[in-house]
């Protein structure tokens, strides 16, 4: 029998994975904005990498739907229209609703501890009035929510969706909820978990996602697909 204290090899991440992470972050925060073209030469120089792993990383993001390829033109950051926004949040709803169900039927105590810490971070960010910090803390709460499900496939699905959701909000920061509203929405989710009220929790997570779609699309400029 293997000892639980047995050391295992540390997984090594490829250069392409590390580059893909940097590109995702740049897209998520708007440093690479919707519609921007990605030039291999410039990016390779900025990142200090060769073109081989850079191409591999960019193809990963094409597969994830964050980049689009145009024949004879190159790769571009995908632009999100109203239907894309709806699709993203409906997909997020499916992932987070499943996560909520697993939380309520699993280790709810651990989930409460982790989500309480995440909510405290959100409260602190809201107190600064910094919308970027609020967005970061908001996403950290939802990332923790999915992680607390214990389902790694749901976590992987959530990661790309969270990047796309952040793209929506980065472009349209003026429609982001006010600080007190944002905190209240997440406090209600935590309270439902605390009370063991699965029915209420599922209603709240659905309202949270679909209301965000309406808020974003109501404030969106004419979008291109």
């Amino acid at each position: 029998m293997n000892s639980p204290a047995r050391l295992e090899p540390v997984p090594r991440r490829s250069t392409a994975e590390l580059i893909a992470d940097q590109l995702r972050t740049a897209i998520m925060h708007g440093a690479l904005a919707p519609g921007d073209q990605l030039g291999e030469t410039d990016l390779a120089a900025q990142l200090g990498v060769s073109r081989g792993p850079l191409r591999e990383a960019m193809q990963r993001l094409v597969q994830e739907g964050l980049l689009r390829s145009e024949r004879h033109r190159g790769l571009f950051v995908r632009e999100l229209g109203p239907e894309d926004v709806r699709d993203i949040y409906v997909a997020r709803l499916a992932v987070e609703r499943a996560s909520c169900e697993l939380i309520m039927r699993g280790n709810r105590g651990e989930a409460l501890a982790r989500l309480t810490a995440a909510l405290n971070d959100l409260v602190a960010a809201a107190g600064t009035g910094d919308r970027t910090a609020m967005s970061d803390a908001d996403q950290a709460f939802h990332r923790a929510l999915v992680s607390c499900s214990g389902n790694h496939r749901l976590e992987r699905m959530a990661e790309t969706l969270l990047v796309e959701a952040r793209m929506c909000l980065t472009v349209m920061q003026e429609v982001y909820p006010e600080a007190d509203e944002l905190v209240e929405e997440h406090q209600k989710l935590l309270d439902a978990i605390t009370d063991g009220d699965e029915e209420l929790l599922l209603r709240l997570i659905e309202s949270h996602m679909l209301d965000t779609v309406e808020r974003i699309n109501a404030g969106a400029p004419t979008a291109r697909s």
Side-chain angles (χ1 to χ4, degrees), residues 9-51:
V10 176
R12 296 178 62 186
R13 304 186 68 203
S14 69
T15 302
E17 285 181 287
L18 297 172
I19 295 170
D21 281 350
Q22 288 211 46
L23 293 177
R24 271 191 218 95
T25 299
I27 291 169
M28 181 169 68
H29 291 283
L32 290 171
D36 280 357
Q37 184 171 12
L38 276 66
E40 273 188 21
T41 302
D42 289 343
L43 279 176
Q46 287 179 49
L47 295 169
V49 298
S50 61
R51 293 193 186 187

Side-chain angles (χ1 to χ4, degrees), residues 2-209:
N2 291 335
S3 164
R6 178 183 174 186
L7 297 177
E8 300 289 345
V10 176
R12 296 178 62 186
R13 304 186 68 203
S14 69
T15 302
E17 285 181 287
L18 297 172
I19 295 170
D21 281 350
Q22 288 211 46
L23 293 177
R24 271 191 218 95
T25 299
I27 291 169
M28 181 169 68
H29 291 283
L32 290 171
D36 280 357
Q37 184 171 12
L38 276 66
E40 273 188 21
T41 302
D42 289 343
L43 279 176
Q46 287 179 49
L47 295 169
V49 298
S50 61
R51 293 193 186 187
L54 175 60
R55 286 188 188 126
E56 183 182 340
M58 291 194 295
Q59 284 306 311
R60 290 184 185 211
L61 299 193
V62 170
Q63 292 169 2
E64 292 175 12
L66 298 177
L67 300 178
R68 59 181 171 82
S69 177
E70 288 192 18
R71 193 173 181 181
H72 304 310
R73 291 195 64 207
L75 296 176
F76 297 81
V77 179
R78 190 169 165 211
E79 296 167 289
L80 302 175
E83 288 306 313
D84 296 304
V85 172
R86 183 168 296 279
D87 286 350
I88 291 163
Y89 279 88
V90 167
R92 276 191 67 187
L93 174 57
V95 168
E96 297 199 25
R97 181 160 46 200
S99 299
C100 288
E101 290 172 345
L102 290 170
I103 286 170
M104 298 303 277
R105 298 163 198 178
N107 189 344
R108 196 153 51 94
E110 178 185 350
L112 285 171
R114 292 178 62 186
L115 291 171
T116 297
L119 181 62
N120 289 339
D121 290 341
L122 180 57
V123 171
T128 68
D130 182 333
R131 289 184 179 270
T132 298
M134 288 163 60
S135 294
D136 288 342
D138 183 353
Q139 288 215 313
F141 182 97
H142 287 276
R143 189 173 284 109
L145 178 73
V146 177
S147 176
C148 287
S149 72
N151 187 308
H152 299 303
R153 287 175 175 81
L154 287 176
E155 287 188 77
R156 288 202 300 269
M157 292 165 67
E159 278 305 311
T160 297
L161 292 169
L162 285 169
V163 174
E164 291 184 302
R166 185 60 176 270
M167 287 169 67
C168 299
L169 293 171
T170 296
V171 172
M172 291 164 280
Q173 279 289 334
E174 69 275 8
V175 300
Y176 202 67
E178 294 300 322
D180 55 350
E181 180 185 356
L182 187 67
V183 169
E184 182 181 5
E185 287 182 10
H186 291 80
Q187 181 67 63
K188 286 179 178 177
L189 292 171
L190 184 59
D191 289 345
I193 297 172
T194 301
D195 296 339
D197 192 336
E198 181 174 333
E199 183 180 346
L200 175 60
L201 177 61
L202 297 181
R203 284 204 312 271
L204 289 170
I205 199 71
E206 179 172 1
S207 175
H208 185 65
M209 295 298 168

